[in-house]
């Protein structure tokens, strides 16, 4: 999702919910976009902040690899 598309989606969500504050609108938009887009935005945010190389993100990636490997290993 481009920055322009994100702004349009945010504006449309704000029109639907004018009583919410900006952070609540952003949270609502993220929930509407779903888990895949949420992950994309979170990783882009970490990359923008220079924190993508942080140990927590690497640990989450390692956990994912292990989860897949162990699931496939234990599959019937």
């Amino acid at each position: 999702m481009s920055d322009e598309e994100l702004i349009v989606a945010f504006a449309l969500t704000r029109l639907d919910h004018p009583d919410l504050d900006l952070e609540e609108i952003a949270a609502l938009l993220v929930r509407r976009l779903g888990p895949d887009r949420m992950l994309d935005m979170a990783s882009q945010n970490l990359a923008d902040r220079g924190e993508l190389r942080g140990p927590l993100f690497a640990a989450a990636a390692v956990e994912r690899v292990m989860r897949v490997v162990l699931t496939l290993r234990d599959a019937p």
Side-chain angles (χ1 to χ4, degrees):
M1 172 177 270
S2 69
D3 290 351
E4 292 82 11
E5 292 170 323
L6 185 59
I7 293 298
V8 169
F10 184 88
L12 291 173
T13 303
R14 189 170 188 194
L15 285 174
D16 290 341
H17 304 280
D19 54 323
L20 298 179
D21 67 23
L22 297 180
E23 190 170 342
E24 291 172 323
I25 293 168
L28 179 60
L29 177 59
V30 167
R31 284 193 304 272
R32 284 183 178 176
L33 294 176
D36 290 338
R37 289 246 174 106
M38 181 189 310
L39 180 59
D40 291 340
M41 284 191 270
S43 58
Q44 182 61 48
N45 189 48
L46 289 171
D48 291 346
R49 290 173 24 190
E51 297 175 5
L52 190 58
R53 293 165 280 158
L56 182 59
F57 199 79
V62 169
E63 179 182 344
R64 173 68 180 150
V65 170
M66 292 303 300
R67 184 185 312 262
V68 170
V69 168
L70 295 174
T71 300
L72 289 175
R73 184 190 72 174
D74 295 337

